[in-house]
Amino acid sequence: MKAFVVEKYKKKGPLRLTDRPEPDVRENDVLVEVHATAVNLLDSKIRDGEFKLILPYRPPFILGHDVAGTVVRAGSKVKRFKVGDNVYARPRDHRIGTFAELIAIDEADVALKPANISMEEAASLPLVGLTAWQALVEVGKVKPGQRVFIQAGSGGVGTFAIQLAKHLGATVATTTSAKNMEMVKSLGADVVINYKTQDFEKILSGYDLVLNSQDPDTLEKSLRVVKPGGLLISISGPPDPAFAKALGLNPFLKLVLRLLSRGVRSKARKLGINYSFLFMRADGQQLGEITRLIESGAVRPVVDKVFPFEKTGDALVYVETGRAKGKVAITVK
Ligand SMILES: NC(=O)c1ccc[n+]([C@@H]2O[C@H](COP(=O)([O-])OP(=O)(O)OC[C@H]3O[C@@H](n4cnc5c(N)ncnc54)[C@H](OP(=O)(O)O)[C@@H]3O)[C@@H](O)[C@H]2O)c1
């Protein structure tokens, strides 16, 4: 099968299109013929070597974290899917590789694809949809009437998270630049701040939850937006001790992560707010909930561009500009 691989860790290094053997199918796996995939900044960060310590993929390896396609084989213990099902997934860490014609995925990571959207739209959803779900539903437990601030509302995570927060009954503030303000309003944002001309920390206060996805400066400012007892969730770091524990890291790495987040945790403590780092994980059950949100019309996918498979490298370059409006998908079949 054809696949795009990382041959060696290198900042902005190219992906190579190559022939790879078909994946082994374990007893709990489905083999999915990939119709579409999508790009995440995590792909670039892994290729750059930024995640080498916590996700030690050994080159050459196939990149890619999102997939929509059709089940073409099912392992002997697979219960929930059959050959011919249209599915989508964010395969679990250590088993990624969706920039390929086929991928074997544990059925626990898979859900039926929403019937009302294309393969490209479906492939755009798993990683960002699960991130938003885990932040707002699982960790944040957002309730009607709460106020939620979602940074970068025009990005992959933001476009999904705004809609999910509105669906949960929250009032939603977001940041973006002038050209995307109408788009985030159309997704339901109540308060839209132009981050190029306005300081969100002077406009927002007393928020129940902030979803931080930007740099350390923005994280620091975000602390002042959360009300006492509220929650600051960061998906762009720094990682906290709970994350190190969940990953089962060695004592040295545990200490490193503890030190990296010591500053923000101590500031949060003094302000009486909770800080939590989130690194999303694969979850087919939650993805099933996302299917229901899409099919009911509560959330719609936002796809900026679709690239052909042979232009996967260009798709990565485009996402790395940081200007994507929603998601960037790739047609594989
Ligand atoms: N921990 C996790 O599990 C997890 C999961 C998913 C993503 N992430 C991380 O979360 C971050 C966001 O991911 P993403 O996929 O949503 O990114 P993305 O789609 O590439 O974000 C692009 C968008 O961000 C906006 N933007 C850029 N700088 C901004 C700023 N300073 N303030 C507000 N908006 C800004 C841009 O709008 P303009 O063009 O208008 O500037 C653009 O629409 C990345 O660092 C990613 O690695 C982490």
Side-chain angles (χ1 to χ4, degrees), residues 8-32:
K8 62 174 180 183
Y9 287 117
K10 188 173 178 216
K11 209 165 170 45
K12 307 256 181 227
L15 301 183
R16 197 162 81 86
L17 181 59
T18 181
D19 267 314
R20 297 283 294 218
E22 283 196 10
D24 291 334
V25 181
R26 304 179 191 170
E27 54 189 13
N28 292 312
D29 285 355
V30 287
L31 182 67
V32 176

mmCIF file with all atom_site columns, all heavy atoms in Angstrom, residues 8-32:
data_model
loop_
_atom_site.group_PDB
_atom_site.id
_atom_site.type_symbol
_atom_site.label_atom_id
_atom_site.label_alt_id
_atom_site.label_comp_id
_atom_site.label_asym_id
_atom_site.label_entity_id
_atom_site.label_seq_id
_atom_site.pdbx_PDB_ins_code
_atom_site.Cartn_x
_atom_site.Cartn_y
_atom_site.Cartn_z
_atom_site.occupancy
_atom_site.B_iso_or_equiv
_atom_site.pdbx_formal_charge
_atom_site.auth_seq_id
_atom_site.auth_comp_id
_atom_site.auth_asym_id
_atom_site.auth_atom_id
_atom_site.pdbx_PDB_model_num
ATOM 1   N N   . LYS A 1 8  ? 13.124  10.413  9.040  1.00 0.00 ? 8  LYS A N   1
ATOM 2   C CA  . LYS A 1 8  ? 13.889  10.755  10.239 1.00 0.00 ? 8  LYS A CA  1
ATOM 3   C C   . LYS A 1 8  ? 13.304  12.021  10.841 1.00 0.00 ? 8  LYS A C   1
ATOM 4   O O   . LYS A 1 8  ? 12.699  12.839  10.125 1.00 0.00 ? 8  LYS A O   1
ATOM 5   C CB  . LYS A 1 8  ? 15.378  10.935  9.913  1.00 0.00 ? 8  LYS A CB  1
ATOM 6   C CG  . LYS A 1 8  ? 15.681  12.040  8.950  1.00 0.00 ? 8  LYS A CG  1
ATOM 7   C CD  . LYS A 1 8  ? 17.175  12.207  8.836  1.00 0.00 ? 8  LYS A CD  1
ATOM 8   C CE  . LYS A 1 8  ? 17.453  13.335  7.863  1.00 0.00 ? 8  LYS A CE  1
ATOM 9   N NZ  . LYS A 1 8  ? 18.787  13.611  7.556  1.00 0.00 ? 8  LYS A NZ  1
ATOM 10  N N   . TYR A 1 9  ? 13.460  12.149  12.155 1.00 0.00 ? 9  TYR A N   1
ATOM 11  C CA  . TYR A 1 9  ? 12.952  13.341  12.817 1.00 0.00 ? 9  TYR A CA  1
ATOM 12  C C   . TYR A 1 9  ? 13.723  14.553  12.306 1.00 0.00 ? 9  TYR A C   1
ATOM 13  O O   . TYR A 1 9  ? 14.956  14.569  12.315 1.00 0.00 ? 9  TYR A O   1
ATOM 14  C CB  . TYR A 1 9  ? 13.150  13.237  14.328 1.00 0.00 ? 9  TYR A CB  1
ATOM 15  C CG  . TYR A 1 9  ? 12.211  12.263  14.992 1.00 0.00 ? 9  TYR A CG  1
ATOM 16  C CD1 . TYR A 1 9  ? 12.689  11.131  15.651 1.00 0.00 ? 9  TYR A CD1 1
ATOM 17  C CD2 . TYR A 1 9  ? 10.840  12.482  14.986 1.00 0.00 ? 9  TYR A CD2 1
ATOM 18  C CE1 . TYR A 1 9  ? 11.820  10.242  16.269 1.00 0.00 ? 9  TYR A CE1 1
ATOM 19  C CE2 . TYR A 1 9  ? 9.962   11.599  15.600 1.00 0.00 ? 9  TYR A CE2 1
ATOM 20  C CZ  . TYR A 1 9  ? 10.459  10.484  16.243 1.00 0.00 ? 9  TYR A CZ  1
ATOM 21  O OH  . TYR A 1 9  ? 9.590   9.620   16.851 1.00 0.00 ? 9  TYR A OH  1
ATOM 22  N N   . LYS A 1 10 ? 12.972  15.556  11.833 1.00 0.00 ? 10 LYS A N   1
ATOM 23  C CA  . LYS A 1 10 ? 13.628  16.764  11.349 1.00 0.00 ? 10 LYS A CA  1
ATOM 24  C C   . LYS A 1 10 ? 12.609  17.897  11.322 1.00 0.00 ? 10 LYS A C   1
ATOM 25  O O   . LYS A 1 10 ? 11.488  17.708  10.837 1.00 0.00 ? 10 LYS A O   1
ATOM 26  C CB  . LYS A 1 10 ? 14.170  16.526  9.934  1.00 0.00 ? 10 LYS A CB  1
ATOM 27  C CG  . LYS A 1 10 ? 15.020  17.661  9.446  1.00 0.00 ? 10 LYS A CG  1
ATOM 28  C CD  . LYS A 1 10 ? 15.682  17.329  8.120  1.00 0.00 ? 10 LYS A CD  1
ATOM 29  C CE  . LYS A 1 10 ? 16.483  18.523  7.674  1.00 0.00 ? 10 LYS A CE  1
ATOM 30  N NZ  . LYS A 1 10 ? 16.479  18.740  6.259  1.00 0.00 ? 10 LYS A NZ  1
ATOM 31  N N   . LYS A 1 11 ? 13.005  19.056  11.849 1.00 0.00 ? 11 LYS A N   1
ATOM 32  C CA  . LYS A 1 11 ? 12.097  20.203  11.838 1.00 0.00 ? 11 LYS A CA  1
ATOM 33  C C   . LYS A 1 11 ? 11.753  20.553  10.392 1.00 0.00 ? 11 LYS A C   1
ATOM 34  O O   . LYS A 1 11 ? 12.644  20.692  9.561  1.00 0.00 ? 11 LYS A O   1
ATOM 35  C CB  . LYS A 1 11 ? 12.774  21.399  12.519 1.00 0.00 ? 11 LYS A CB  1
ATOM 36  C CG  . LYS A 1 11 ? 11.768  22.311  13.151 1.00 0.00 ? 11 LYS A CG  1
ATOM 37  C CD  . LYS A 1 11 ? 12.382  23.283  14.124 1.00 0.00 ? 11 LYS A CD  1
ATOM 38  C CE  . LYS A 1 11 ? 11.392  24.338  14.551 1.00 0.00 ? 11 LYS A CE  1
ATOM 39  N NZ  . LYS A 1 11 ? 10.047  23.881  14.895 1.00 0.00 ? 11 LYS A NZ  1
ATOM 40  N N   . LYS A 1 12 ? 10.465  20.631  10.094 1.00 0.00 ? 12 LYS A N   1
ATOM 41  C CA  . LYS A 1 12 ? 9.959   20.918  8.737  1.00 0.00 ? 12 LYS A CA  1
ATOM 42  C C   . LYS A 1 12 ? 10.433  19.895  7.692  1.00 0.00 ? 12 LYS A C   1
ATOM 43  O O   . LYS A 1 12 ? 10.417  20.169  6.488  1.00 0.00 ? 12 LYS A O   1
ATOM 44  C CB  . LYS A 1 12 ? 10.359  22.331  8.278  1.00 0.00 ? 12 LYS A CB  1
ATOM 45  C CG  . LYS A 1 12 ? 9.977   23.433  9.257  1.00 0.00 ? 12 LYS A CG  1
ATOM 46  C CD  . LYS A 1 12 ? 8.772   24.201  8.785  1.00 0.00 ? 12 LYS A CD  1
ATOM 47  C CE  . LYS A 1 12 ? 8.425   25.306  9.774  1.00 0.00 ? 12 LYS A CE  1
ATOM 48  N NZ  . LYS A 1 12 ? 7.045   25.389  10.119 1.00 0.00 ? 12 LYS A NZ  1
ATOM 49  N N   . GLY A 1 13 ? 10.898  18.742  8.152  1.00 0.00 ? 13 GLY A N   1
ATOM 50  C CA  . GLY A 1 13 ? 11.400  17.717  7.227  1.00 0.00 ? 13 GLY A CA  1
ATOM 51  C C   . GLY A 1 13 ? 10.285  17.196  6.314  1.00 0.00 ? 13 GLY A C   1
ATOM 52  O O   . GLY A 1 13 ? 9.112   17.242  6.675  1.00 0.00 ? 13 GLY A O   1
ATOM 53  N N   . PRO A 1 14 ? 10.643  16.702  5.101  1.00 0.00 ? 14 PRO A N   1
ATOM 54  C CA  . PRO A 1 14 ? 9.610   16.229  4.177  1.00 0.00 ? 14 PRO A CA  1
ATOM 55  C C   . PRO A 1 14 ? 9.073   14.856  4.581  1.00 0.00 ? 14 PRO A C   1
ATOM 56  O O   . PRO A 1 14 ? 9.769   14.088  5.251  1.00 0.00 ? 14 PRO A O   1
ATOM 57  C CB  . PRO A 1 14 ? 10.377  16.121  2.852  1.00 0.00 ? 14 PRO A CB  1
ATOM 58  C CG  . PRO A 1 14 ? 11.794  15.869  3.265  1.00 0.00 ? 14 PRO A CG  1
ATOM 59  C CD  . PRO A 1 14 ? 12.011  16.533  4.579  1.00 0.00 ? 14 PRO A CD  1
ATOM 60  N N   . LEU A 1 15 ? 7.842   14.568  4.166  1.00 0.00 ? 15 LEU A N   1
ATOM 61  C CA  . LEU A 1 15 ? 7.320   13.205  4.293  1.00 0.00 ? 15 LEU A CA  1
ATOM 62  C C   . LEU A 1 15 ? 7.624   12.504  2.977  1.00 0.00 ? 15 LEU A C   1
ATOM 63  O O   . LEU A 1 15 ? 7.633   13.136  1.933  1.00 0.00 ? 15 LEU A O   1
ATOM 64  C CB  . LEU A 1 15 ? 5.802   13.220  4.499  1.00 0.00 ? 15 LEU A CB  1
ATOM 65  C CG  . LEU A 1 15 ? 5.263   13.962  5.712  1.00 0.00 ? 15 LEU A CG  1
ATOM 66  C CD1 . LEU A 1 15 ? 3.753   13.803  5.787  1.00 0.00 ? 15 LEU A CD1 1
ATOM 67  C CD2 . LEU A 1 15 ? 5.915   13.436  6.986  1.00 0.00 ? 15 LEU A CD2 1
ATOM 68  N N   . ARG A 1 16 ? 7.862   11.186  3.039  1.00 0.00 ? 16 ARG A N   1
ATOM 69  C CA  . ARG A 1 16 ? 8.164   10.469  1.790  1.00 0.00 ? 16 ARG A CA  1
ATOM 70  C C   . ARG A 1 16 ? 7.027   9.516   1.436  1.00 0.00 ? 16 ARG A C   1
ATOM 71  O O   . ARG A 1 16 ? 6.560   8.751   2.294  1.00 0.00 ? 16 ARG A O   1
ATOM 72  C CB  . ARG A 1 16 ? 9.467   9.688   1.920  1.00 0.00 ? 16 ARG A CB  1
ATOM 73  C CG  . ARG A 1 16 ? 10.016  9.284   0.539  1.00 0.00 ? 16 ARG A CG  1
ATOM 74  C CD  . ARG A 1 16 ? 11.473  8.923   0.633  1.00 0.00 ? 16 ARG A CD  1
ATOM 75  N NE  . ARG A 1 16 ? 11.665  7.562   1.102  1.00 0.00 ? 16 ARG A NE  1
ATOM 76  C CZ  . ARG A 1 16 ? 11.666  6.493   0.302  1.00 0.00 ? 16 ARG A CZ  1
ATOM 77  N NH1 . ARG A 1 16 ? 11.491  6.617   -0.987 1.00 0.00 ? 16 ARG A NH1 1
ATOM 78  N NH2 . ARG A 1 16 ? 11.850  5.291   0.809  1.00 0.00 ? 16 ARG A NH2 1
ATOM 79  N N   . LEU A 1 17 ? 6.567   9.602   0.194  1.00 0.00 ? 17 LEU A N   1
ATOM 80  C CA  . LEU A 1 17 ? 5.538   8.672   -0.295 1.00 0.00 ? 17 LEU A CA  1
ATOM 81  C C   . LEU A 1 17 ? 6.240   7.383   -0.688 1.00 0.00 ? 17 LEU A C   1
ATOM 82  O O   . LEU A 1 17 ? 7.172   7.391   -1.499 1.00 0.00 ? 17 LEU A O   1
ATOM 83  C CB  . LEU A 1 17 ? 4.818   9.282   -1.500 1.00 0.00 ? 17 LEU A CB  1
ATOM 84  C CG  . LEU A 1 17 ? 3.693   8.433   -2.099 1.00 0.00 ? 17 LEU A CG  1
ATOM 85  C CD1 . LEU A 1 17 ? 2.603   8.131   -1.084 1.00 0.00 ? 17 LEU A CD1 1
ATOM 86  C CD2 . LEU A 1 17 ? 3.095   9.143   -3.318 1.00 0.00 ? 17 LEU A CD2 1
ATOM 87  N N   . THR A 1 18 ? 5.794   6.275   -0.089 1.00 0.00 ? 18 THR A N   1
ATOM 88  C CA  . THR A 1 18 ? 6.517   5.025   -0.314 1.00 0.00 ? 18 THR A CA  1
ATOM 89  C C   . THR A 1 18 ? 5.543   3.846   -0.293 1.00 0.00 ? 18 THR A C   1
ATOM 90  O O   . THR A 1 18 ? 4.368   4.011   0.037  1.00 0.00 ? 18 THR A O   1
ATOM 91  C CB  . THR A 1 18 ? 7.606   4.864   0.789  1.00 0.00 ? 18 THR A CB  1
ATOM 92  O OG1 . THR A 1 18 ? 8.323   3.674   0.559  1.00 0.00 ? 18 THR A OG1 1
ATOM 93  C CG2 . THR A 1 18 ? 7.017   4.820   2.173  1.00 0.00 ? 18 THR A CG2 1
ATOM 94  N N   . ASP A 1 19 ? 6.027   2.674   -0.656 1.00 0.00 ? 19 ASP A N   1
ATOM 95  C CA  . ASP A 1 19 ? 5.202   1.461   -0.568 1.00 0.00 ? 19 ASP A CA  1
ATOM 96  C C   . ASP A 1 19 ? 5.492   0.759   0.743  1.00 0.00 ? 19 ASP A C   1
ATOM 97  O O   . ASP A 1 19 ? 6.651   0.558   1.098  1.00 0.00 ? 19 ASP A O   1
ATOM 98  C CB  . ASP A 1 19 ? 5.527   0.524   -1.732 1.00 0.00 ? 19 ASP A CB  1
ATOM 99  C CG  . ASP A 1 19 ? 4.601   0.769   -2.891 1.00 0.00 ? 19 ASP A CG  1
ATOM 100 O OD1 . ASP A 1 19 ? 3.382   0.871   -2.648 1.00 0.00 ? 19 ASP A OD1 1
ATOM 101 O OD2 . ASP A 1 19 ? 5.101   0.904   -4.027 1.00 0.00 ? 19 ASP A OD2 1
ATOM 102 N N   . ARG A 1 20 ? 4.435   0.395   1.453  1.00 0.00 ? 20 ARG A N   1
ATOM 103 C CA  . ARG A 1 20 ? 4.595   -0.298  2.739  1.00 0.00 ? 20 ARG A CA  1
ATOM 104 C C   . ARG A 1 20 ? 3.747   -1.565  2.725  1.00 0.00 ? 20 ARG A C   1
ATOM 105 O O   . ARG A 1 20 ? 2.714   -1.609  2.056  1.00 0.00 ? 20 ARG A O   1
ATOM 106 C CB  . ARG A 1 20 ? 4.114   0.608   3.887  1.00 0.00 ? 20 ARG A CB  1
ATOM 107 C CG  . ARG A 1 20 ? 4.921   1.880   4.028  1.00 0.00 ? 20 ARG A CG  1
ATOM 108 C CD  . ARG A 1 20 ? 6.225   1.618   4.683  1.00 0.00 ? 20 ARG A CD  1
ATOM 109 N NE  . ARG A 1 20 ? 6.022   1.194   6.052  1.00 0.00 ? 20 ARG A NE  1
ATOM 110 C CZ  . ARG A 1 20 ? 6.802   1.544   7.058  1.00 0.00 ? 20 ARG A CZ  1
ATOM 111 N NH1 . ARG A 1 20 ? 7.855   2.310   6.850  1.00 0.00 ? 20 ARG A NH1 1
ATOM 112 N NH2 . ARG A 1 20 ? 6.578   1.135   8.287  1.00 0.00 ? 20 ARG A NH2 1
ATOM 113 N N   . PRO A 1 21 ? 4.162   -2.576  3.512  1.00 0.00 ? 21 PRO A N   1
ATOM 114 C CA  . PRO A 1 21 ? 3.307   -3.782  3.580  1.00 0.00 ? 21 PRO A CA  1
ATOM 115 C C   . PRO A 1 21 ? 1.955   -3.453  4.224  1.00 0.00 ? 21 PRO A C   1
ATOM 116 O O   . PRO A 1 21 ? 1.867   -2.515  5.013  1.00 0.00 ? 21 PRO A O   1
ATOM 117 C CB  . PRO A 1 21 ? 4.105   -4.726  4.492  1.00 0.00 ? 21 PRO A CB  1
ATOM 118 C CG  . PRO A 1 21 ? 5.239   -3.941  5.052  1.00 0.00 ? 21 PRO A CG  1
ATOM 119 C CD  . PRO A 1 21 ? 5.357   -2.655  4.324  1.00 0.00 ? 21 PRO A CD  1
ATOM 120 N N   . GLU A 1 22 ? 0.951   -4.244  3.871  1.00 0.00 ? 22 GLU A N   1
ATOM 121 C CA  . GLU A 1 22 ? -0.360  -4.049  4.512  1.00 0.00 ? 22 GLU A CA  1
ATOM 122 C C   . GLU A 1 22 ? -0.228  -4.262  6.014  1.00 0.00 ? 22 GLU A C   1
ATOM 123 O O   . GLU A 1 22 ? 0.537   -5.123  6.456  1.00 0.00 ? 22 GLU A O   1
ATOM 124 C CB  . GLU A 1 22 ? -1.374  -5.042  3.948  1.00 0.00 ? 22 GLU A CB  1
ATOM 125 C CG  . GLU A 1 22 ? -1.873  -4.633  2.598  1.00 0.00 ? 22 GLU A CG  1
ATOM 126 C CD  . GLU A 1 22 ? -3.135  -5.380  2.201  1.00 0.00 ? 22 GLU A CD  1
ATOM 127 O OE1 . GLU A 1 22 ? -3.731  -6.075  3.048  1.00 0.00 ? 22 GLU A OE1 1
ATOM 128 O OE2 . GLU A 1 22 ? -3.534  -5.258  1.028  1.00 0.00 ? 22 GLU A OE2 1
ATOM 129 N N   . PRO A 1 23 ? -0.978  -3.527  6.823  1.00 0.00 ? 23 PRO A N   1
ATOM 130 C CA  . PRO A 1 23 ? -0.847  -3.672  8.284  1.00 0.00 ? 23 PRO A CA  1
ATOM 131 C C   . PRO A 1 23 ? -1.316  -5.044  8.770  1.00 0.00 ? 23 PRO A C   1
ATOM 132 O O   . PRO A 1 23 ? -2.213  -5.638  8.178  1.00 0.00 ? 23 PRO A O   1
ATOM 133 C CB  . PRO A 1 23 ? -1.771  -2.586  8.849  1.00 0.00 ? 23 PRO A CB  1
ATOM 134 C CG  . PRO A 1 23 ? -2.310  -1.821  7.705  1.00 0.00 ? 23 PRO A CG  1
ATOM 135 C CD  . PRO A 1 23 ? -1.963  -2.504  6.433  1.00 0.00 ? 23 PRO A CD  1
ATOM 136 N N   . ASP A 1 24 ? -0.698  -5.530  9.867  1.00 0.00 ? 24 ASP A N   1
ATOM 137 C CA  . ASP A 1 24 ? -1.208  -6.743  10.531 1.00 0.00 ? 24 ASP A CA  1
ATOM 138 C C   . ASP A 1 24 ? -2.525  -6.396  11.197 1.00 0.00 ? 24 ASP A C   1
ATOM 139 O O   . ASP A 1 24 ? -2.655  -5.319  11.782 1.00 0.00 ? 24 ASP A O   1
ATOM 140 C CB  . ASP A 1 24 ? -0.236  -7.204  11.634 1.00 0.00 ? 24 ASP A CB  1
ATOM 141 C CG  . ASP A 1 24 ? 1.059   -7.716  11.023 1.00 0.00 ? 24 ASP A CG  1
ATOM 142 O OD1 . ASP A 1 24 ? 1.020   -8.159  9.862  1.00 0.00 ? 24 ASP A OD1 1
ATOM 143 O OD2 . ASP A 1 24 ? 2.107   -7.619  11.701 1.00 0.00 ? 24 ASP A OD2 1
ATOM 144 N N   . VAL A 1 25 ? -3.468  -7.339  11.147 1.00 0.00 ? 25 VAL A N   1
ATOM 145 C CA  . VAL A 1 25 ? -4.771  -7.100  11.770 1.00 0.00 ? 25 VAL A CA  1
ATOM 146 C C   . VAL A 1 25 ? -4.864  -7.974  13.019 1.00 0.00 ? 25 VAL A C   1
ATOM 147 O O   . VAL A 1 25 ? -4.899  -9.202  12.918 1.00 0.00 ? 25 VAL A O   1
ATOM 148 C CB  . VAL A 1 25 ? -5.914  -7.414  10.777 1.00 0.00 ? 25 VAL A CB  1
ATOM 149 C CG1 . VAL A 1 25 ? -7.271  -7.137  11.416 1.00 0.00 ? 25 VAL A CG1 1
ATOM 150 C CG2 . VAL A 1 25 ? -5.747  -6.587  9.504  1.00 0.00 ? 25 VAL A CG2 1
ATOM 151 N N   . ARG A 1 26 ? -4.894  -7.345  14.197 1.00 0.00 ? 26 ARG A N   1
ATOM 152 C CA  . ARG A 1 26 ? -4.988  -8.092  15.467 1.00 0.00 ? 26 ARG A CA  1
ATOM 153 C C   . ARG A 1 26 ? -6.441  -8.497  15.704 1.00 0.00 ? 26 ARG A C   1
ATOM 154 O O   . ARG A 1 26 ? -7.352  -7.989  15.053 1.00 0.00 ? 26 ARG A O   1
ATOM 155 C CB  . ARG A 1 26 ? -4.482  -7.225  16.626 1.00 0.00 ? 26 ARG A CB  1
ATOM 156 C CG  . ARG A 1 26 ? -3.064  -6.727  16.400 1.00 0.00 ? 26 ARG A CG  1
ATOM 157 C CD  . ARG A 1 26 ? -2.613  -5.850  17.570 1.00 0.00 ? 26 ARG A CD  1
ATOM 158 N NE  . ARG A 1 26 ? -1.364  -5.168  17.239 1.00 0.00 ? 26 ARG A NE  1
ATOM 159 C CZ  . ARG A 1 26 ? -0.823  -4.205  17.976 1.00 0.00 ? 26 ARG A CZ  1
ATOM 160 N NH1 . ARG A 1 26 ? -1.400  -3.797  19.085 1.00 0.00 ? 26 ARG A NH1 1
ATOM 161 N NH2 . ARG A 1 26 ? 0.309   -3.642  17.605 1.00 0.00 ? 26 ARG A NH2 1
ATOM 162 N N   . GLU A 1 27 ? -6.649  -9.349  16.713 1.00 0.00 ? 27 GLU A N   1
ATOM 163 C CA  . GLU A 1 27 ? -7.998  -9.926  16.876 1.00 0.00 ? 27 GLU A CA  1
ATOM 164 C C   . GLU A 1 27 ? -9.071  -8.876  17.208 1.00 0.00 ? 27 GLU A C   1
ATOM 165 O O   . GLU A 1 27 ? -10.236 -9.046  16.876 1.00 0.00 ? 27 GLU A O   1
ATOM 166 C CB  . GLU A 1 27 ? -7.985  -11.055 17.919 1.00 0.00 ? 27 GLU A CB  1
ATOM 167 C CG  . GLU A 1 27 ? -7.400  -10.662 19.249 1.00 0.00 ? 27 GLU A CG  1
ATOM 168 C CD  . GLU A 1 27 ? -7.200  -11.845 20.194 1.00 0.00 ? 27 GLU A CD  1
ATOM 169 O OE1 . GLU A 1 27 ? -7.280  -13.008 19.740 1.00 0.00 ? 27 GLU A OE1 1
ATOM 170 O OE2 . GLU A 1 27 ? -6.984  -11.584 21.388 1.00 0.00 ? 27 GLU A OE2 1
ATOM 171 N N   . ASN A 1 28 ? -8.655  -7.758  17.839 1.00 0.00 ? 28 ASN A N   1
ATOM 172 C CA  . ASN A 1 28 ? -9.644  -6.709  18.161 1.00 0.00 ? 28 ASN A CA  1
ATOM 173 C C   . ASN A 1 28 ? -9.646  -5.567  17.141 1.00 0.00 ? 28 ASN A C   1
ATOM 174 O O   . ASN A 1 28 ? -10.279 -4.543  17.354 1.00 0.00 ? 28 ASN A O   1
ATOM 175 C CB  . ASN A 1 28 ? -9.368  -6.117  19.541 1.00 0.00 ? 28 ASN A CB  1
ATOM 176 C CG  . ASN A 1 28 ? -9.623  -7.117  20.641 1.00 0.00 ? 28 ASN A CG  1
ATOM 177 O OD1 . ASN A 1 28 ? -10.664 -7.776  20.647 1.00 0.00 ? 28 ASN A OD1 1
ATOM 178 N ND2 . ASN A 1 28 ? -8.688  -7.278  21.547 1.00 0.00 ? 28 ASN A ND2 1
ATOM 179 N N   . ASP A 1 29 ? -8.922  -5.762  16.038 1.00 0.00 ? 29 ASP A N   1
ATOM 180 C CA  . ASP A 1 29 ? -8.772  -4.674  15.047 1.00 0.00 ? 29 ASP A CA  1
ATOM 181 C C   . ASP A 1 29 ? -9.779  -4.773  13.912 1.00 0.00 ? 29 ASP A C   1
ATOM 182 O O   . ASP A 1 29 ? -10.190 -5.875  13.522 1.00 0.00 ? 29 ASP A O   1
ATOM 183 C CB  . ASP A 1 29 ? -7.396  -4.762  14.369 1.00 0.00 ? 29 ASP A CB  1
ATOM 184 C CG  . ASP A 1 29 ? -6.257  -4.294  15.262 1.00 0.00 ? 29 ASP A CG  1
ATOM 185 O OD1 . ASP A 1 29 ? -6.526  -3.814  16.379 1.00 0.00 ? 29 ASP A OD1 1
ATOM 186 O OD2 . ASP A 1 29 ? -5.098  -4.432  14.821 1.00 0.00 ? 29 ASP A OD2 1
ATOM 187 N N   . VAL A 1 30 ? -10.084 -3.605  13.362 1.00 0.00 ? 30 VAL A N   1
ATOM 188 C CA  . VAL A 1 30 ? -10.689 -3.579  12.033 1.00 0.00 ? 30 VAL A CA  1
ATOM 189 C C   . VAL A 1 30 ? -9.638  -3.020  11.069 1.00 0.00 ? 30 VAL A C   1
ATOM 190 O O   . VAL A 1 30 ? -8.856  -2.140  11.430 1.00 0.00 ? 30 VAL A O   1
ATOM 191 C CB  . VAL A 1 30 ? -11.968 -2.702  11.975 1.00 0.00 ? 30 VAL A CB  1
ATOM 192 C CG1 . VAL A 1 30 ? -13.121 -3.392  12.676 1.00 0.00 ? 30 VAL A CG1 1
ATOM 193 C CG2 . VAL A 1 30 ? -11.745 -1.308  12.574 1.00 0.00 ? 30 VAL A CG2 1
ATOM 194 N N   . LEU A 1 31 ? -9.623  -3.560  9.851  1.00 0.00 ? 31 LEU A N   1
ATOM 195 C CA  . LEU A 1 31 ? -8.748  -3.015  8.813  1.00 0.00 ? 31 LEU A CA  1
ATOM 196 C C   . LEU A 1 31 ? -9.608  -2.036  8.014  1.00 0.00 ? 31 LEU A C   1
ATOM 197 O O   . LEU A 1 31 ? -10.660 -2.407  7.492  1.00 0.00 ? 31 LEU A O   1
ATOM 198 C CB  . LEU A 1 31 ? -8.214  -4.125  7.913  1.00 0.00 ? 31 LEU A CB  1
ATOM 199 C CG  . LEU A 1 31 ? -7.243  -3.651  6.822  1.00 0.00 ? 31 LEU A CG  1
ATOM 200 C CD1 . LEU A 1 31 ? -5.939  -3.124  7.444  1.00 0.00 ? 31 LEU A CD1 1
ATOM 201 C CD2 . LEU A 1 31 ? -6.909  -4.794  5.849  1.00 0.00 ? 31 LEU A CD2 1
ATOM 202 N N   . VAL A 1 32 ? -9.159  -0.784  7.973  1.00 0.00 ? 32 VAL A N   1
ATOM 203 C CA  . VAL A 1 32 ? -9.959  0.268   7.329  1.00 0.00 ? 32 VAL A CA  1
ATOM 204 C C   . VAL A 1 32 ? -9.275  0.706   6.039  1.00 0.00 ? 32 VAL A C   1
ATOM 205 O O   . VAL A 1 32 ? -8.085  1.049   6.048  1.00 0.00 ? 32 VAL A O   1
ATOM 206 C CB  . VAL A 1 32 ? -10.127 1.477   8.289  1.00 0.00 ? 32 VAL A CB  1
ATOM 207 C CG1 . VAL A 1 32 ? -10.872 2.620   7.593  1.00 0.00 ? 32 VAL A CG1 1
ATOM 208 C CG2 . VAL A 1 32 ? -10.876 1.052   9.554  1.00 0.00 ? 32 VAL A CG2 1
#
